[in-house]
Amino acid sequence: ADAPAGLVEAVRAHVGSRWPFVEVHAYPGGQPYYPLLVGVE
């Protein structure tokens, strides 16, 4: 809920520049304590 503006775009750009074959999906979670939760499959 308190994630800084542009966080998703920054993460997507960072991951895409280093690992262009990786898919990045972002889902708004609205959790109160963590601005970012990461899951990897």
Side-chain angles (χ1 to χ4, degrees):
D2 296 326
L7 179 62
V8 172
E9 293 81 9
V11 170
R12 187 171 284 145
H14 175 79
V15 172
S17 70
R18 286 167 174 71
W19 303 282
F21 51 86
V22 172
E23 292 181 31
V24 177
H25 297 274
Y27 304 99
Q31 62 273 4
Y33 301 110
Y34 306 104
L36 182 66
L37 296 175
V38 176
V40 178
E41 288 188 25

